[in-house]
Amino acid sequence: MNNVHTDFISEKVSLKDEFMDILRKKQLSIHFQPIVHFHSHQTYGFEALSRGPLKSSFYSPSRLFPYAEKEGLLYTLEKIARERAFEESKGILQGKKLFINLNSRVIYDSKFNPGHTISLLQNYGINPNNVVFEITERNAIHDFAAFRSVLNHYREQGFQIAIDDAGAGYSSLQSISELMPDYIKVDRSLVSGSDPNEVKSNILEAFVMFAKKMNSEIIAEGIETEAELQHVIQLGIDYGQGFFIAKPNNPIPSITNSAQKCFDLLERKSRSRSVTVDISDEIILIQNGIVIKRQPARELMDESKIKLAKVVEAF
């Protein structure tokens, strides 16, 4: 039993030493995943994703960041990750947005210094207007007033804010209404299988409607199939990222041929089928020369409001 206990202690010490060595040497690699604007088919920006050394115990971010949080070193790790992301993106943004993850708990760290980021950007010649901080929605925000104060400081410097993992965390609607983000990134759990799932589709539509009311942009995360890409576009979502579009890499990867073909096909369909209807018009559906339905356009707006209200009640 003593040997087992000794081995366990030894393993913990070894892991801590390995992790501290990564921090000391800033051994983080940065991969970039494109975020695409669907209608222009152009890359709008990149999300910077951190990895540990390739053959280390902390290569995966799912191991790296939770361990840092457990050891009380999350702020130190995220500070290094931001610095490495800025360093790697120097000269390649060309007016595009750089999305940087920011754990909500970091702001409460006693070592947190909002001025550090702006000085880093000056060193690497990056404009704050090109940087978006993604606030993960998987962690509860306990003091919105204090949190807003910090975010307002960033906004005054030119940074933008995104709510990440929306729909998968503790309080999506509250976080969105309290923080008024520039971007809402809906979680993969809502995007996956949303086409045949009416509940998921309704929630995504609700996010689209919220975003329009607040002048926010919706980004669909984790798009992995052509069907998912087509569906989020049909729901009115304008931006997205995921393996089907491009996997994270460094140097920055191109949009896949499959995604590009899908964009081209959807654009051709849109050109042939899009119809602009004034709210005061009447919509008339005709099949083989026979009128099968008449409906005032205003009634469609009323139906959308009812659907939104039901989704809000579900939350």
Side-chain angles (χ1 to χ4, degrees), residues 246-309:
K247 293 182 179 181
N249 208 342
N250 193 348
I252 293 171
S254 301
I255 298 173
T256 64
N257 290 332
S258 298
Q260 191 61 59
K261 289 178 181 177
C262 184
F263 291 142
D264 294 341
L265 177 61
L266 289 171
E267 183 177 359
R268 288 196 295 271
K269 287 182 178 180
S270 175
R271 287 176 180 173
S272 63
R273 295 185 180 183
S274 293
V275 178
T276 301
V277 180
D278 189 88
I279 194 68
S280 61
D281 289 342
E282 183 181 44
I283 299 173
I284 303 174
L285 301 181
I286 299 176
Q287 186 174 27
N288 298 325
I290 300 173
V291 175
I292 59 175
K293 186 176 181 180
R294 291 175 178 269
Q295 183 174 20
R298 189 175 299 279
E299 289 184 6
L300 290 179
M301 178 64 71
D302 294 338
E303 290 175 4
S304 296
K305 289 180 180 178
I306 292 171
K307 180 183 289 186
L308 173 61

Side-chain angles (χ1 to χ4, degrees), residues 22 45 83 128 150 173 188 205 208 246 309:
I22 291 171
E83 182 176 349
V150 175
L173 297 184
R188 161 73 187 158
E205 283 185 307
V208 171

Side-chain angles (χ1 to χ4, degrees), residues 104-121:
S104 61
R105 294 175 183 171
V106 164
I107 287 180
Y108 302 111
D109 194 295
S110 60
K111 299 185 293 295
F112 179 73
N113 176 15
H116 176 71
T117 301
I118 198 75
S119 63
L120 274 178
L121 290 181

Side-chain angles (χ1 to χ4, degrees), residues 133-177:
F133 285 109
E134 293 190 18
I135 312 300
T136 180
E137 234 287 294
R138 293 184 184 274
N139 296 318
I141 298 173
H142 301 292
D143 185 346
F144 278 104
F147 204 85
R148 274 198 310 272
S149 177
V150 175
L151 293 188
N152 287 339
H153 176 76
Y154 276 125
R155 280 176 161 143
E156 288 168 1
Q157 294 175 328
F159 298 96
Q160 289 185 300
I161 303 299
I163 291 291
D164 194 17
D165 302 323
Y170 291 86
S171 51
S172 293
L173 297 184
Q174 185 181 7
S175 296
I176 292 167
S177 62

